[in-house]
Amino acid sequence: GANVIAEKPLVLDPRNLDPATRYLIASTSQALREAGLRIHGALRDRTGHLVGTTQVSPATVIAYLTSFRDRGLPGVSAAAFSRMVPNAPTGACASALSFRGPSSTLALDADAGLAAVVYAAEWLSRREDTEVLVASGVDELPPDAATVLPAAAPAELFLDPGSAEGAASLVLAHAETEHQLAADDAGD
């Protein structure tokens, strides 16, 4: 069936996304679905995403370092290089789900996801330019660094985010927005 979250169906090849981005898109989509929200039309401009994470995707780091090792500087993976920032999954998710509102990534410790929820609640309490914020936490476990990293790369390259990976998302909205969206959906 059609995607009820964005105005148009998602056309993404998950093979081109790192695990953290796949987790974030899935979690955010599920949170919107469970909240019964459809992000379309003008609401796209007033819907944002605040994400907490502990690090850049280890899969992306490995892809970049491996391309450098195998092909040298002229052959470095441009795709991996462009994702070597903590906010890459946030931007890809916002693009995939047609969010055009505020977007921010908090690169913190293991409490980054909780900090994103607090930040989103604070944002909505003080701003009127945003109607819906999705707050998420996402992390990806690094593989066994000794088996995949080039010999010159330090094993300490990856932080230890804990013993789990995945994403969780929570939809926050102004009370008036929730009532209006519910009324709009009843009229569909």
Side-chain angles (χ1 to χ4, degrees), residues 79-96:
F81 178 78
S82 70
R83 293 189 310 259
M84 292 281 292
V85 290
N87 65 318
T90 307
C93 185
S95 178

Side-chain angles (χ1 to χ4, degrees), residues 120-173:
E122 181 70 16
W123 182 287
L124 284 174
S125 75
R126 297 181 183 270
R127 308 272 307 244
E128 296 195 16
D129 60 346
T130 306
E131 292 185 47
V132 177
L133 274 176
V134 180
S136 302
V138 63
D139 264 309
E140 175 187 335
L141 286 175
D144 179 12
T147 62
V148 295
L149 286 177
E156 298 80 32
L157 188 62
F158 300 118
L159 301 173
D160 180 10
S163 59
E165 66 180 0
S169 297
L170 177 67
V171 177
L172 293 91

Side-chain angles (χ1 to χ4, degrees), residues 4 30-39 171 181-182 185:
V4 297
Q30 184 67 29
L32 289 167
R33 194 170 12 268
E34 289 179 7
L37 293 179
R38 291 185 294 155
I39 306 302
V171 177
L181 292 171
D185 283 343

